[in-house]
């Protein structure tokens, strides 16, 4: 096995690689030349050979017997399974389109974004001046939790102390924390609702059951009949249908919960009401231990920030600490401090007001245009950053393909709605589009629907 002295690779590494490449199952327990003999044959020092052999021993390819020498190990005794030769199928990434009615994205508003950049720059300076000050515990920075207490009390009527708040990677992460600390139970979830909740519940040992959504929100008759230990609901703006749980229904749900059940309130999008002020959070009406409250800052700056919060009922605070006392923070301390600065400057409040005004214009524009369509039936609720529409009489696959050809994408609700009444309900998220793009996108949607309806597609 000749070694190349002109190579930059060291001699011992060349020898090691050659001996390793020669290794196969036919060499089990066969001896290698002694260090002295190998060195003589290759014309290298014994140190070079010893280094190569030591590397082979360290990797378990060779074993040594004192006074006897070095031997190849039997592959059958240690060799891991060979890597699979099956082709890995990566999930298909949708081709970008210009008029994408995707839910969960938002338009960056320059004034809000500039304020956020100032908050981040200030957080960087604060980190330089006091490096250990923004190392939060698992619950999050105390200053951010205190700011949230004031914000939630003012805007949503939520009653909480900083000790009840956990800063999370988003609402779903907060839900995961809750499910991990609750005893195994039956979890009632809205149908239609967020996709993946059944699987998330099952991953923590819970059993999910579907609760229908009516024109008045969560169906309380089914809640009473099924009697789950825990109910997950979006009472401020039901996802995806957008209906609001009326006050009498809220009080009835709390009465049902009593002291024995827990309600998980996801308050996502509740601040975006365009015809009236948002209703106070369900938690604001509840007794101390009836409601766990989930929220997010995704609408506050950018969805990719991935920062949310969980307000624990008092009885679950100690249970949380038992499970998460050694947990590191879920969101980087630098970002949490930036959010504190964003609050302290008043920028977060100004952004929500600005964003609400912008999305009110988009909502009205979308509704006004859809009123002129004979093929599209919108479910108008006067709230939220998306709209659910029904487009009957047009094949779903044909519609989606025709829209993609016009650079338009809308989203079927099949995966959000178990036993959907008909396969013609779609979600149109409008917050990520500019007003001008929204107008063009809706026009193209209406034109495609009109054309397909005329041809009987």
């Amino acid at each position: 096995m000749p070694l190349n002295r002109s190579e930059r690779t060291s001699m011992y590494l060349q020898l090691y690689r050659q001996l390793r490449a020669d290794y196969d199952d036919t060499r089990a327990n066969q001896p290698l030349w002694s260090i002295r003999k190998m060195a003589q044959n290759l014309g290298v020092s014994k140190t070079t050979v010893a280094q190569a052999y030591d590397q082979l021993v360290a990797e378990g390819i060779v074993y040594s017997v004192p006074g006897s020498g070095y031997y190849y190990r039997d592959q059958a005794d240690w060799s891991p399974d060979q890597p699979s030769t099956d082709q890995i199928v990566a999930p298909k990434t949708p081709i970008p389109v210009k008029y994408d009615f995707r839910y969960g994205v938002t338009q960056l508003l320059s004034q809000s974004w500039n304020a956020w950049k100032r908050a981040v720059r200030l957080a960087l300076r604060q980190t330089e001046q006091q490096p250990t000050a923004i190392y939060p515990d698992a619950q999050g920075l105390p200053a951010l939790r205190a700011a949230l207490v004031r914000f939630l009390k003012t805007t949503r009527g939520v009653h909480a102390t900083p000790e009840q708040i956990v800063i999370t990677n988003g609402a779903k992460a907060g839900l995961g924390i809750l499910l991990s600390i609750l005893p195994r139970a039956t979890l009632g979830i809205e149908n239609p609702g967020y996709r993946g909740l059944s699987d998330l519940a099952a991953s923590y040992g819970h059993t999910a059951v579907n609760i229908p959504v009516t024109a008045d929100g969560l169906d309380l008759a089914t809640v009473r009949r099924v009697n789950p230990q825990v109910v997950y609901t979006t009472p401020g703006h039901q996802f995806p249908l957008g209906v609001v749980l009326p006050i009498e229904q809220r009080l009835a749900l709390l009465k049902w919960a009593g002291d024995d059940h827990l309600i998980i309130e996801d308050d996502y999008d509740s601040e975006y009401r365009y015809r009236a002020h948002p209703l106070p959070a369900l938690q604001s009406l509840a007794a101390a231990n009836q409601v766990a409250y989930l929220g997010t800052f995704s609408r506050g700056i950018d969805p990719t920030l991935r920062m949310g919060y969980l307000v624990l009922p008092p009885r679950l605070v100690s249970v949380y600490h038992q499970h998460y006392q050694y947990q590191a923070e879920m969101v980087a301390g630098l970002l949490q401090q930036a959010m504190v600065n964003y609050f302290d400057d008043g920028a977060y409040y100004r952004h929500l007001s600005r964003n609400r005004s912008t999305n009110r214009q988009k909502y009205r524009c979308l509704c006004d245009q859809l009123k002129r369509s004979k093929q599209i039936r919108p479910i108008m609720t006067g709230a939220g950053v998306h709209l659910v529409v029904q487009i009957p009489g047009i094949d779903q696959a044909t519609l989606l393909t025709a829209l993609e050809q016009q650079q338009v994408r809308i989203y079927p609700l099949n995966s959000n709605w178990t036993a959907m009444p008909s396969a013609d309900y779609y979600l149109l998220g409008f917050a990520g589009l500019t007003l001008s793009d929204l107008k063009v996108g809706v026009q193209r949607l209406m034109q495609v629907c009109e054309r397909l309806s005329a041809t009987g597609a």
Side-chain angles (χ1 to χ4, degrees), residues 297-343:
F297 294 120
S298 291
R299 297 282 180 247
I301 305 103
D302 179 68
T304 58
L305 180 65
R306 304 307 305 155
M307 193 189 305
Y309 45 91
L310 161 65
V311 181
L312 292 163
R315 67 179 173 90
L316 289 180
V317 173
S318 61
V319 182
Y320 164 81
H321 284 294
Q322 290 170 13
H323 284 76
Y324 288 91
Q325 58 181 319
Y326 302 116
Q327 175 81 23
E329 70 276 7
M330 298 184 71
V331 178
L334 178 67
L335 289 178
Q336 293 192 47
Q337 183 60 49
M339 196 67 216
V340 172
N341 299 337
Y342 205 56
F343 265 121

Side-chain angles (χ1 to χ4, degrees), residues 169-366:
N169 283 123
K172 187 169 285 187
L175 179 58
I177 289 174
L178 270 175
L179 295 177
S180 72
I181 66 177
L182 291 173
R184 303 299 175 256
T186 300
L187 172 68
I189 60 175
E190 295 172 334
N191 182 43
Y194 286 107
R195 69 185 71 181
L197 288 188
S198 294
D199 292 338
L200 182 64
S203 70
Y204 290 101
H206 301 280
T207 302
V209 293
N210 288 325
I211 308 294
V213 174
T214 70
D216 288 328
L218 193 71
D219 182 32
L220 294 189
T222 304
V223 170
R224 295 188 186 98
R225 177 175 56 80
V226 176
N227 199 33
Q229 288 90 350
V230 183
V231 166
Y232 170 93
T233 182
T234 53
H237 183 249
Q238 199 278 329
F239 182 86
L241 296 182
V243 296
V244 176
L245 194 67
I247 184 65
E248 61 270 20
Q249 297 287 89
R250 293 174 178 232
L251 295 174
L253 179 61
L254 292 171
K255 183 178 180 180
W256 163 83
D259 297 326
D260 303 321
H261 302 84
L262 177 69
I263 301 167
I264 301 174
E265 178 182 12
D266 190 337
D267 211 24
Y268 202 55
D269 276 355
S270 60
E271 65 268 32
Y272 293 99
R273 289 183 61 77
Y274 308 126
R275 297 172 185 164
H277 289 293
L279 289 175
L282 180 66
Q283 196 263 14
S284 69
L285 304 171
N289 284 307
Q290 288 183 305
V291 177
Y293 181 88
L294 295 168
T296 179
F297 294 120
S298 291
R299 297 282 180 247
I301 305 103
D302 179 68
T304 58
L305 180 65
R306 304 307 305 155
M307 193 189 305
Y309 45 91
L310 161 65
V311 181
L312 292 163
R315 67 179 173 90
L316 289 180
V317 173
S318 61
V319 182
Y320 164 81
H321 284 294
Q322 290 170 13
H323 284 76
Y324 288 91
Q325 58 181 319
Y326 302 116
Q327 175 81 23
E329 70 276 7
M330 298 184 71
V331 178
L334 178 67
L335 289 178
Q336 293 192 47
Q337 183 60 49
M339 196 67 216
V340 172
N341 299 337
Y342 205 56
F343 265 121
D344 289 347
D345 183 47
Y348 188 55
Y349 295 88
R350 291 193 297 273
H351 168 73
L352 287 179
S353 176
R354 191 179 297 124
N355 212 20
R356 189 180 296 114
S357 176
T358 299
N359 287 322
R360 180 186 293 112
Q361 284 184 281
K362 295 177 183 178
Y363 177 83
R364 289 174 177 170
C365 170
L366 183 60

